C-alpha cells in the first residue's frame, strides 16, 4: 500500500521528534538559565580550538519546534487523506484528533509531561484568526445577508438559551447531589454553560463540508457559528467578572451593564471589522503598481482587525468575519486577477493548515494526566443537557421564525441543524483560559469540555452523514429511472430555478433595492477602481472575456493565413467556440500553438459538437449489446446534463477549492444562450429566418429601421436592405426589438478591431464581437421601445 | 404589510385572480411589485426583453423556452394576469381543497403542471413531442461534448421507452403515463408560492 512508506516516514519523524523532546526537556530548563548567563557573558565555555560546527539548539529552539509541529500536523493530514476507505465514513476532524492522541502519547512517553499543549494564547492569536478570515472572505454574501435575521436570532437568543439552560440545569443537578462533592457554585455553572454553549465554526465547517446540505440550512448553522462569538465573549466575560466579584455584589446595575456590554462588544467588533474592510478596499484601489504584494495586505490587515478588536476587548471573531465579508467584493474587483487567485489560494492554505493543527493539538492536549478529573455525573449530564437544550432551542426558534417566512424550514432541516451544533476548539480555548484561583474546578471543566468536543466532533460528525442520508431518503428511488424521467427531472429543475428567478424569490424588497442603489452610487465610487467599476457586471465580464479571446483568435487566424482574405469566403469568421472551453479563462493570452487546431476545417459555430468523442463511450459504442447501449444513454445523461442551480454545491468549502468548476458550465450555457439570442437578433436584422425558433411574433415595422443600421455594414444584407421582407407566416423572425440593455450598454466594444474586419460579412458570422459591434452601432439608429 | 391593500387596488380583477389562481392577496401584491420591477419602462406589460434582462435567467439552459412559455400564443405583451396565471402553475398542490364536480381543475393541479411541462417540449403545439423536438431539448440541456450521434441515440431510447403506440412521438397521454411515479408536486412546485 502507499500508506506504508508514508507511515514509516511519519514514524521516523516522530521518533526524531521524541528524542528532541527529551533533549529539549532537559535542555529547556537549563537553556533559560544559560540564556540569561550568555546575555551577560558572551561565552560560557572557554574555547580551546576553532569550532567548525557547533550545536546551536538553544538558539533556534522555538522556531524549530514550531516548524516541526506544523510539519507533523500536516503530515498527519496527509496520512489521513491517503486512507480513503476510512475517510469515507469517519470525519476527517475525528481522524486528526486520533492522530493527536498518538502524537500526544509519544510526547508523553518521552517526557512524562505534556510539554506541547494547545495553549489558549497560541490558539486564539495564531491559529484561529486565519480560519475566520477565510470564512469571512469566502462567505456567500447574498445568502448570508438575506438570512441575517434568522442567523442573528439563533446566534443570540439560541446561545443565551443554551448557556442559561445548561448552567442552571447542571446547578440543579449538583444541588440534587448527582455530581458528588464539588467546590462550585451557580455562577461557575453559568460560566461553564456560557463557554460550552457556542457552536464552533471550525467544527461545523469540518463536518458540514462533507455532508452536502441545502444552502439555507448550511448558512444558518454556519452563520450562527460565526456570529455567536459576540454572545460568547460577552457571557464569558460577564460571568467571569461576576465570579470574581462574588455573588453578593451582583445587583441590577451589574446586570444592566452586562446587557449593555453585549451590544457594545458585538456592534463594536463588527464596526472594527467594517473599518478594516474599508481600509483594505481603499488600499487595493491604489496598489495597482505593486501587484506583487497587494495580496499580502489582506492578510496583514485582516489579522490586525482581529488583534485590534481583541485589544479593545470586543468580539474579535465578529471583527474578522465582517472584515472578510465586506471587503471581498471590492478587493476582488480592484486587484489584478493573479493577485485575487493568490489571495484565494493562500487563504485556503492558511485556513486548512490551521484547522488541521487545531484538531491535532486537541488530541495531543488530551494526553495529560494533570488535567483529567473524571466525574461521571458531571460529564454525562453535561453532554445530555447540551444536546437536549440545543434541540429544544433550535426547534422553538425555528418554529417562531417559520411564522414569518414564506419558505418554512422543514423538520428534517431543523433536526440536522440541531444535530449539527458542534462544539470545538473555541470552547476548549475558553476553558483553558479560566483562572484556577477563582475557579477551583478548572480541571474538571477542561476535562468535560474536551469530552464534549470529542463527542460532538467524532460521534456526531461520524453519524451526521448517515443520518442525513437516512432522513432524506424516505422514498426509495428505483435504481433505474427511465430516461424520460431523468430528462424531465432535470428540465423541471431548470424550470423551477427559472421561475424562482422570474418571480424574484422572496422578493426584491425595498431594503435590498435601496441598499443596492446606495452602494452603486456612493460606495463603489469610493472603494473601487474606476476600471473595476465598469466591469462589475458578471455577465458582462464573461462577455468581455469571450470577446477578448475571439479578438485574439481572429488576429492569429488572420496572421496564419497571411492575409485576411479568408474572411471573404463563404465560411466567414468561424471562430470555434468549442475549443475555448479547455482554456483558462484568466485573461491570459491563449497560446498561439493551440490555435493550430483552427484551420480550414473549422467546425461551424452553429453545430454543437465536439469532433473528438470521449474515449470511454467509443468502447461502449463498439459493443453491440443493447445492455451497453442502455448504459450508454443513461450514462451519457448522467454525466452530461447541465446541473441546475438546485444541484450546485454550496459555494463555501474549506478544502474543495476549484476556481472554474461550475463556471465552465455556466459559461457554456451563457454562451449558448447569447449565441441563440444574437443569432436570432441578427437574423431578424438581416431578414433571414433563424434556425431555431422559439416564439413567433409578427414584426410589422422594424425591418426598415434595421436596414438603416445595415447600411454601415455588409453587402450581404443588401438583399434585405431596401425591400421590406415578405411576411411569410412560416418565416417569422425571432426578435426584432432592441437588444437587451446589458448588450447595448457595453462601455466599449472592440470596434477598433473593425479595421481587421472586412466590410463584407457572411450571414453565418455569429462572431461575438462582431455582434457586439452590431449592437453598438444599432443602438444609435433607433430608439428603444 | 400595510401596502398590500394599496397594491391590490392597483391590480385589475384582483379578486378574480385570487379566486382563479389560489394565491393569497399578500402573494398577489408581492407578485405585482415584482411585475412592476421587471417592467423597467413602465409599459404596463412585459416583453421578452424584460425577461432577458433577468441576469440569472441567461444562465439557464432552457431559458428561451421558458420565456416562450410565457408568451405562448404569439403575443409579445404579457399582462399581469397572464403572468400570474403562469406562475400559478407552480404553486404547491392544495391537498385539502374540496373538489366541486363541475369546476375546472385548479391551475396548479397535477395534470395542468404536466401540461405545462409538456408544452415546453412540444414547441409546435401539435400535441406530440416529436423526435426532433426532443433532440432540441436534449441539445439545450446537455453539455457540449456530447456528439450528435450520442444525442440521437439518447433521443431514440427516450422515445422508445415512453412511446406506447409506436408512432415515434410522445403524446401527452404517454408523457403523463411515463411520469406516473414521479412526484410532480415536488418537482414542479415552488414553496414560496404557496
Amino acid at each position: 500500500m502507499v500508506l506504508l512508506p508514508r507511515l514509516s516516514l511519519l514514524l521516523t519523524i516522530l521518533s526524531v521528534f521524541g528524542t528532541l523532546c527529551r533533549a529539549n526537556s532537559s535542555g529547556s530548563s537549563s537553556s533559560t538559565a544559560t540564556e540569561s548567563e550568555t546575555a551577560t557573558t558572551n561565552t560560557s565555555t572557554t574555547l580551546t580550538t576553532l569550532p567548525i560546527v557547533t550545536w546551536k539548539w538553544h538558539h533556534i529552539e522555538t522556531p524549530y519546534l514550531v516548524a516541526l509541529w506544523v510539519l507533523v500536523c500536516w503530515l498527519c493530514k496527509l496520512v489521513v487523506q491517503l486512507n480513503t476507505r476510512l475517510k469515507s465514513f469517519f470525519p476527517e476532524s475525528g481522524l486528526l484528533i486520533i492522530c493527536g492522541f498518538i502524537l500526544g502519547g509519544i510526547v508523553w512517553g518521552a517526557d512524562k509531561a505534556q510539554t506541547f499543549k494547545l495553549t489558549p494564547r497560541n490558539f486564539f492569536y495564531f491559529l484561529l484568526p486565519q480560519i475566520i478570515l477565510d470564512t469571512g472572505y469566502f462567505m456567500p454574501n447574498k445568502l448570508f445577508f438575506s438570512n441575517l435575521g434568522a442567523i442573528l436570532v439563533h446566534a443570540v437568543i439560541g446561545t443565551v438559551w443554551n448557556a442559561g439552560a445548561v448552567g442552571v440545569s447542571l446547578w440543579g443537578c449538583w444541588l440534587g447531589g448527582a455530581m458528588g462533592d464539588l467546590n462550585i457554585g451557580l455562577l461557575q455553572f453559568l460560566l461553564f454553560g456560557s463557554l460550552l454553549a457556542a457552536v464552533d465554526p471550525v467544527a461545523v465547517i469540518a463536518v458540514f463540508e462533507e455532508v452536502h446540505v441545502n444552502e439555507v440550512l448550511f448558512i444558518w448553522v454556519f452563520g450562527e457559528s460565526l456570529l455567536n462569538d459576540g454572545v460568547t465573549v460577552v457571557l464569558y466575560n460577564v460571568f467571569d467578572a461576576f465570579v470574581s466579584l462574588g455573588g453578593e455584589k451582583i445587583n441590577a446595575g451589574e446586570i444592566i451593564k452586562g446587557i449593555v456590554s453585549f451590544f457594545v462588544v458585538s456592534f463594536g467588533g463588527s464596526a472594527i471589522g467594517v473599518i478594516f474592510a474599508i481600509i483594505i478596499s481603499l488600499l487595493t484601489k491604489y496598489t495597482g503598481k505593486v501587484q506583487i504584494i497587494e495580496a499580502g495586505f489582506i492578510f496583514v490587515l485582516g489579522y490586525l482587525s482581529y488583534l485590534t478588536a481583541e485589544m479593545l476587548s470586543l468580539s474579535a471573531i465578529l471583527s474578522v468575519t465582517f472584515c472578510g465579508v465586506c471587503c471581498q467584493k471590492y478587493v476582488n474587483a480592484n486587484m489584478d486577477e493573479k493577485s485575487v487567485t493568490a489571495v484565494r489560494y493562500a487563504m485556503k492554505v492558511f485556513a486548512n493548515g490551521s484547522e488541521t493543527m487545531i484538531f491535532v493539538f486537541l488530541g495531543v492536549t488530551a494526553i495529560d494526566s494533570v488535567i483529567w478529573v473524571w466525574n461521571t455525573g458531571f460529564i454525562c449530564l453535561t453532554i445530555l443537557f447540551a444536546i437536549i437544550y440545543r434541540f429544544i432551542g433550535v426547534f422553538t426558534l425555528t418554529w417562531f421564525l417559520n411564522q414569518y417566512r414564506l419558505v418554512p424550514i422543514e423538520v428534517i432541516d431543523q433536526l440536522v441543524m440541531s444535530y449539527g451544533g458542534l462544539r470545538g476548539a473555541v470552547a476548549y480555548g475558553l476553558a483553558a483560559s479560566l483562572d484556577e484561583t477563582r475557579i477551583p474546578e478548572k480541571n474538571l471543566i477542561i476535562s468535560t469540555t474536551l469530552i464534549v468536543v470529542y463527542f460532538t466532533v467524532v460521534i456526531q460528525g461520524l453519524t451526521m452523514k448517515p443520518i442525513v442520508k437516512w432522513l432524506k431518503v424516505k422514498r426509495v428511488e428505483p435504481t433505474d429511472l427511465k430516461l424520460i424521467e431523468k430528462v424531465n427531472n432535470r428540465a423541471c429543475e431548470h424550470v423551477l430555478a427559472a421561475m424562482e428567478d422570474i418571480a424574484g424569490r422572496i422578493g426584491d424588497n425595498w431594503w435590498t433595492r435601496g441598499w443596492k442603489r446606495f452602494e452603486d452610487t456612493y460606495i463603489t465610487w469610493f472603494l473601487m477602481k474606476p476600471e473595476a467599476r465598469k466591469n462589475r457586471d458578471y455577465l458582462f465580464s464573461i462577455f468581455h472575456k469571450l470577446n477578448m479571446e475571439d479578438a485574439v483568435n481572429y488576429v492569429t487566424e488572420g496572421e496564419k493565413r497571411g492575409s485576411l482574405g479568408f474572411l471573404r469566403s463563404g465560411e466567414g469568421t468561424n471562430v470555434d467556440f468549442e475549443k475555448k472551453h479547455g482554456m483558462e479563462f484568466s485573461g491570459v493570452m491563449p497560446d498561439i500553438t493551440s490555435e493550430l487546431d483552427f484551420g480550414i476545417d473549422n467546425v461551424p459555430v452553429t453545430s454543437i459538437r465536439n469532433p473528438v468523442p470521449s474515449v470511454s463511450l467509443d468502447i461502449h459504442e463498439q459493443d453491440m449489446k443493447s445492455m451497453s447501449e442502455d448504459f450508454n444513454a443513461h450514462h451519457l445523461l448522467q454525466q452530461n446534463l447541465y446541473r441546475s442551480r438546485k444541484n450546485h454545491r454550496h459555494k463555501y468549502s474549506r478544502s474543495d477549492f476549484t476556481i472554474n468548476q461550475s463556471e465552465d458550465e455556466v459559461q457554456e450555457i451563457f454562451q449558448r444562450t447569447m449565441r441563440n439570442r444574437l443569432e436570432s437578433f441578427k437574423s431578424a436584422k438581416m431578414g433571414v429566418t433563424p434556425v431555431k425558433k422559439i416564439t413567433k411574433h409578427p414584426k410589422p415595422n422594424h425591418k426598415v429601421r434595421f436596414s438603416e443600421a445595415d447600411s454601415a455594414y455588409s453587402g450581404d444584407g443588401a438583399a434585405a436592405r431596401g425591400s421590406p421582407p415578405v411576411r411569410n407566416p412560416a418565416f417569422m423572425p425571432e426578435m426584432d426589438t432592441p437588444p437587451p440593455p446589458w448588450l447595448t450598454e457595453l462601455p466599449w466594444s472592440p470596434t477598433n478591431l473593425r479595421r481587421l474586419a472586412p466590410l463584407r460579412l457572411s450571414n453565418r458570422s455569429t462572431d461575438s464581437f462582431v455582434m457586439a459591434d452590431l449592437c453598438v452601432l444599432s443602438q444609435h439608429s433607433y430608439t428603444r421601445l | 404589510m400595510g401596502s398590500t391593500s394599496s397594491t391590490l387596488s392597483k391590480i385589475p380583477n384582483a379578486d378574480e385572480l385570487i379566486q382563479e389562481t389560489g394565491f393569497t392577496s399578500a402573494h398577489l401584491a408581492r407578485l405585482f411589485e415584482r411585475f412592476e420591477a421587471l417592467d423597467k419602462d413602465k409599459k404596463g406589460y412585459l416583453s421578452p426583453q424584460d425577461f432577458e434582462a433577468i441576469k440569472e435567467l441567461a444562465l439557464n439552459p432552457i431559458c428561451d423556452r421558458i420565456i416562450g412559455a410565457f408568451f405562448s400564443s404569439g403575443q409579445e405583451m404579457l399582462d399581469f394576469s397572464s403572468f400570474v396565471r403562469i406562475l400559478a402553475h407552480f404553486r404547491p398542490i392544495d391537498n385539502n381543497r374540496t373538489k366541486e364536480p363541475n369546476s375546472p381543475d385548479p391551475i396548479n393541479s397535477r395534470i395542468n403542471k404536466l401540461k405545462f411541462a409538456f408544452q415546453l417540449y412540444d414547441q409546435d403545439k401539435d400535441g406530440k413531442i416529436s423526435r426532433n423536438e426532443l433532440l432540441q431539448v436534449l441539445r439545450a440541456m446537455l453539455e457540449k461534448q456530447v456528439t450528435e450521434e450520442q444525442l440521437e441515440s439518447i433521443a431514440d431510447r427516450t422515445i422508445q421507452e415512453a412511446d406506447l403506440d409506436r408512432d415515434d412521438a410522445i403524446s401527452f397521454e404517454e408523457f403523463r403515463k411515463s411520469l406516473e411515479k414521479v412526484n410532480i408536486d415536488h418537482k414542479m412546485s415552488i414553496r414560496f408560492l404557496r
Side-chain angles (χ1 to χ4, degrees):
Chain A
M1 290 196 296
V2 187
L3 199 50
L4 282 174
R6 309 281 186 181
L7 261 181
S8 49
L9 173 66
L10 182 62
L11 285 173
T12 44
I13 290 191
L14 290 176
S15 50
V16 167
F17 183 63
T19 50
L20 270 175
C21 295
R22 221 172 300 133
N24 180 40
S25 61
S26 52
S28 58
S29 46
S30 54
S31 66
T32 44
T34 48
E35 266 174 35
S36 54
E37 282 177 32
T38 48
T40 49
T41 62
N42 262 337
T43 49
S44 49
T45 55
T46 48
L47 293 175
T48 51
T49 172
L50 178 68
I52 298 178
V53 174
T54 47
W55 179 252
K56 287 194 175 176
W57 171 249
H58 54 272
H59 282 187
I60 48 120
E61 176 183 349
T62 319
Y64 201 95
L65 283 175
V66 168
L68 200 57
W69 266 112
V70 172
L71 177 66
V72 167
C73 292
W74 290 357
L75 281 176
C76 288
K77 184 175 171 103
L78 184 66
V79 168
V80 162
Q81 286 286 353
L82 282 177
N83 201 340
T84 42
R85 223 180 344 132
L86 196 57
K87 190 181 170 308
S88 58
F89 66 87
F90 215 87
E92 184 189 313
S93 37
L95 290 172
L96 285 172
I97 292 183
I98 293 181
C99 284
F101 286 151
I102 300 176
L103 287 174
I106 294 179
V107 174
W108 176 261
D111 270 358
K112 296 289 173 276
Q114 190 54 266
T115 34
F116 300 104
K117 292 202 282 201
L118 186 63
T119 56
R121 177 169 171 271
N122 288 345
F123 172 67
F124 280 117
Y125 296 157
F126 298 121
L127 289 178
L128 192 60
Q130 51 266 41
I131 298 182
I132 310 293
L133 182 62
D134 171 72
T135 61
Y137 192 75
F138 286 99
M139 177 79 77
N141 267 357
K142 210 163 77 161
L143 199 57
F144 179 65
F145 282 112
S146 57
N147 285 298
L148 192 59
I151 293 177
L152 277 175
V153 164
H154 273 109
V156 175
I157 303 182
T159 314
V160 170
W161 155 255
N162 270 332
V166 170
V168 168
S169 322
L170 282 177
W171 176 66
C173 291
W174 173 69
L175 282 180
M179 295 174 201
D181 220 2
L182 291 176
N183 183 357
I184 206 167
L186 171 63
L187 281 175
Q188 298 182 29
F189 273 118
L190 284 173
L191 179 58
F192 175 59
S194 68
L195 68 84
L196 202 59
V199 178
D200 185 78
V202 178
V204 162
I205 297 175
V207 170
F208 267 66
E209 197 184 23
E210 300 174 7
V211 176
H212 304 160
V213 297
N214 64 56
E215 286 185 328
V216 174
L217 174 61
F218 174 73
I219 202 72
W220 276 31
V221 182
F222 187 41
E224 180 197 343
S225 69
L226 284 174
L227 295 188
N228 64 19
D229 180 65
V231 180
T232 310
V233 164
V234 168
L235 282 178
Y236 182 81
N237 287 332
V238 159
F239 285 122
D240 202 28
F242 281 179
V243 165
S244 16
L245 280 180
E248 313 79 44
K249 300 228 189 72
I250 300 171
N251 51 13
E254 301 291 337
I255 296 184
I256 291 182
K257 273 209 247 174
I259 297 180
V260 167
S261 76
F262 162 68
F263 287 103
V264 169
V265 162
S266 320
F267 287 111
S270 318
I272 290 188
V274 172
I275 292 175
F276 271 89
I278 295 179
I279 295 178
I280 296 179
S281 316
L282 267 182
L283 202 55
T284 48
K285 199 171 158 189
Y286 300 110
T287 54
K289 299 277 192 293
V290 280
Q291 280 175 6
I292 288 294
I293 57 168
E294 69 179 344
F297 284 118
I298 318 278
F299 294 100
V300 170
L301 283 167
Y303 191 45
L304 276 177
S305 79
Y306 185 88
L307 293 177
T308 312
E310 190 68 32
M311 172 178 77
L312 297 172
S313 77
L314 301 173
S315 165
I317 291 186
L318 279 182
S319 163
V320 167
T321 307
F322 278 100
C323 179
V325 159
C326 297
C327 82
Q328 49 166 268
K329 182 167 163 193
Y330 307 106
V331 154
N332 284 338
N334 281 343
M335 288 202 302
D336 182 61
E337 298 203 41
K338 298 197 189 75
S339 303
V340 172
T341 317
V343 167
R344 283 180 171 170
Y345 272 115
M347 281 251 204
K348 290 293 179 194
V349 169
F350 287 141
N352 230 316
S354 292
E355 185 190 319
T356 313
M357 289 185 67
I358 289 178
F359 282 120
V360 171
F361 270 104
L362 270 180
V364 170
T365 330
I367 314 293
D368 184 1
S369 68
V370 174
I371 58 165
W372 282 103
V373 178
W374 186 270
N375 183 327
T376 324
F378 192 81
I379 293 178
C380 298
L381 283 171
T382 307
I383 297 183
L384 188 69
F385 286 137
I387 297 183
I388 292 182
Y389 289 127
R390 167 83 182 158
F391 270 81
I392 295 179
V394 166
F395 273 85
T396 322
L397 287 174
T398 318
W399 173 84
F400 171 70
L401 283 170
N402 272 347
Q403 312 298 319
Y404 296 97
R405 283 179 67 89
L406 279 179
V407 190
I409 305 285
E410 303 175 9
V411 173
I412 296 177
D413 288 345
Q414 293 175 35
L415 267 172
V416 176
M417 205 173 143
S418 332
Y419 201 62
L422 309 175
R423 274 58 167 187
V426 174
Y428 170 73
L430 288 174
S433 42
L434 286 172
D435 187 354
E436 54 255 330
T437 52
R438 291 202 296 248
I439 300 167
E441 296 290 343
K442 175 177 171 182
N443 284 330
L444 174 62
I445 290 183
I446 292 184
S447 321
T448 316
T449 313
L450 275 178
I451 297 223
V452 172
V453 168
Y454 295 149
F455 183 84
T456 54
V457 169
V458 174
I459 299 197
Q460 279 179 249
L462 193 65
T463 49
M464 179 75 81
K465 229 201 275 198
I467 285 185
V468 165
K469 252 189 266 200
W470 173 59
L471 285 176
K472 282 225 166 80
V473 183
K474 279 191 283 196
R475 273 152 289 194
V476 178
E477 302 272 336
T479 43
D480 294 325
L481 280 181
K482 290 191 282 187
L483 279 176
I484 182 97
E485 287 174 345
K486 272 192 199 154
V487 169
N488 193 54
N489 279 352
R490 192 51 63 85
C492 285
E493 281 177 9
H494 287 307
V495 169
L496 280 191
M499 289 299 162
E500 282 181 357
D501 290 329
I502 291 176
R505 284 254 171 165
I506 307 295
D508 277 357
N509 53 21
W510 188 84
W511 281 110
T512 44
R513 252 183 288 155
W515 166 253
K516 275 212 135 4
R517 239 179 299 134
F518 174 70
E519 190 196 356
D520 284 345
T521 42
Y522 298 110
I523 299 187
T524 46
W525 168 83
F526 184 47
L527 290 177
M528 269 204 213
K529 276 193 210 163
E531 307 85 58
R533 254 178 276 143
K534 263 188 282 187
N535 295 337
R536 253 181 315 123
D537 195 274
Y538 170 68
L539 294 186
F540 174 72
S541 61
I542 296 184
F543 193 63
H544 165 54
K545 280 180 187 151
L546 295 176
N547 281 349
M548 287 298 291
E549 297 226 5
D550 289 345
V552 170
N553 294 333
Y554 203 68
V555 170
T556 53
E557 263 302 293
E559 284 175 347
K560 219 160 31 92
R561 301 214 197 202
S563 75
L564 298 173
F566 76 98
L567 292 167
R568 301 213 180 87
S569 70
E571 283 294 295
T573 52
N574 285 322
V575 182
D576 195 347
F577 283 103
E578 280 88 284
K579 306 281 177 151
K580 295 225 198 70
H581 290 297
M583 295 185 201
E584 266 272 328
F585 274 92
S586 62
V588 175
M589 302 285 260
D591 203 8
I592 301 267
T593 51
S594 62
E595 256 67 75
L596 292 175
D597 289 334
F598 289 52
I600 304 175
D601 42 348
N602 256 341
V603 181
V605 177
T606 46
S607 102
I608 307 173
R609 109 176 52 187
N610 187 341
V612 179
S614 50
V615 176
S616 59
L617 292 167
D618 265 338
I619 300 171
H620 283 286
E621 278 175 39
Q622 282 160 21
D623 199 333
M624 292 311 285
K625 284 186 284 195
S626 63
M627 185 56 186
S628 64
E629 209 183 84
D630 192 12
F631 171 82
N632 184 8
H634 278 275
H635 180 72
L636 269 180
L637 264 190
Q638 206 70 41
Q639 303 290 74
N640 287 308
L641 279 173
Y642 284 128
R643 291 177 297 168
S644 74
R645 200 169 57 215
K646 289 176 184 293
N647 267 347
H648 279 158
R649 280 191 56 191
H650 57 80
K651 299 176 205 119
Y652 183 82
S653 166
R654 172 61 53 72
S655 52
D656 220 351
F657 176 59
T658 49
I659 298 188
N660 278 333
Q661 199 182 31
S662 62
E663 265 183 46
D664 275 349
E665 234 183 48
V666 158
Q667 278 158 351
E668 250 183 47
I669 299 175
F670 171 64
Q671 220 182 9
R672 188 184 283 169
T673 315
M674 291 275 294
R675 214 186 315 134
N676 281 346
R677 290 190 189 163
L678 289 173
E679 205 179 270
S680 40
F681 168 69
K682 182 193 174 302
S683 57
K685 270 185 60 106
M686 305 287 194
V688 173
T689 36
V691 173
K692 297 179 184 128
K693 284 199 295 294
I694 310 283
T695 55
K696 306 175 177 43
H697 328 293
K699 302 287 181 260
N701 47 7
H702 293 280
K703 287 292 162 304
V704 181
R705 294 203 225 152
F706 283 124
S707 47
E708 286 174 53
D710 277 349
S711 57
Y713 260 92
S714 56
D716 250 0
R721 229 193 297 164
S723 51
V726 178
R727 192 112 48 79
N728 188 331
F731 279 57
M732 302 274 208
E734 173 87 74
M735 289 178 259
D736 65 324
T737 42
W742 45 265
L743 272 184
T744 51
E745 282 163 8
L746 306 176
W748 61 270
S749 68
T751 44
N752 53 343
L753 289 168
R754 280 198 64 229
R755 52 188 157 79
L756 295 174
L759 287 180
R760 189 190 162 86
L761 292 166
S762 85
N763 281 350
R764 287 167 54 202
S765 154
T766 51
D767 206 3
S768 60
F769 80 89
V770 171
M771 286 297 116
D773 276 5
L774 267 173
C775 303
V776 170
L777 276 181
S778 54
Q779 75 176 331
H780 299 304
S781 56
Y782 52 79
T783 56
R784 297 216 341 228
L785 273 174
Chain B
M1 278 197 268
S3 61
T4 313
S5 45
S6 63
T7 323
L8 272 180
S9 54
K10 287 194 235 166
I11 307 173
N13 336 317
D15 290 326
E16 215 179 277
L17 277 177
I18 291 177
Q19 180 72 11
E20 192 185 331
T21 59
F23 280 125
T24 61
S25 42
H27 265 112
L28 207 64
R30 205 162 299 173
L31 284 171
F32 189 70
E33 282 168 14
R34 175 67 175 168
F35 182 82
E36 289 194 321
L38 286 175
D39 178 14
K40 295 204 169 58
D41 302 327
K42 303 280 168 263
K43 312 186 281 286
Y45 57 87
L46 289 179
S47 59
Q49 284 67 38
D50 294 318
F51 281 98
E52 284 165 15
I54 305 175
K55 285 191 258 201
E56 292 86 20
L57 213 50
L59 301 176
N60 197 310
I62 49 176
C63 57
D64 292 334
R65 287 176 181 254
I66 294 172
I67 299 179
F70 276 90
F71 294 90
S72 55
S73 24
Q75 82 248 36
E76 123 190 19
M77 302 179 358
L78 185 73
D79 63 348
F80 180 64
S81 25
S82 321
F83 180 69
V84 170
R85 280 197 196 99
I86 302 228
L87 279 178
H89 280 103
F90 292 91
R91 284 189 57 238
I93 296 181
D94 308 315
N95 288 326
N96 41 1
R97 211 175 135 118
T98 52
K99 279 278 286 169
E100 292 134 53
N102 290 327
S103 69
D105 280 327
I107 297 188
N108 63 337
S109 70
R110 191 169 193 280
I111 205 107
N112 282 330
K113 286 188 202 269
L114 279 174
K115 279 196 189 143
F116 187 80
F118 190 76
Q119 186 189 338
L120 284 177
Y121 299 102
D122 182 22
Q123 290 293 314
D124 56 4
K125 313 235 184 301
D126 58 354
K128 286 184 186 304
I129 306 177
S130 70
R131 184 173 176 277
N132 214 13
E133 288 168 337
L134 190 60
L135 261 182
Q136 284 177 23
V137 176
L138 285 175
R139 208 175 278 140
M141 290 209 307
L142 284 172
E143 291 178 8
K144 292 185 114 74
Q145 51 255 36
V146 181
T147 66
E148 197 62 28
E149 295 87 33
Q150 291 164 354
L151 266 177
E152 293 190 3
S153 82
I154 295 179
D156 284 332
R157 270 210 81 74
T158 311
I159 294 193
Q160 211 177 353
E161 280 179 356
D163 191 12
L164 300 166
D165 56 4
R166 308 250 167 257
D167 60 353
D168 209 24
I170 306 181
S171 69
F172 180 66
E173 266 311 303
E174 293 162 350
F175 184 70
R176 192 187 60 78
K177 202 165 283 176
S178 66
L179 292 179
E180 254 172 356
K181 292 201 224 100
V182 176
N183 183 354
I184 289 290
D185 179 36
H186 196 247
K187 295 258 173 244
M188 287 195 66
S189 301
I190 303 181
R191 291 297 131 132
F192 70 85
L193 289 180
R194 188 189 306 272

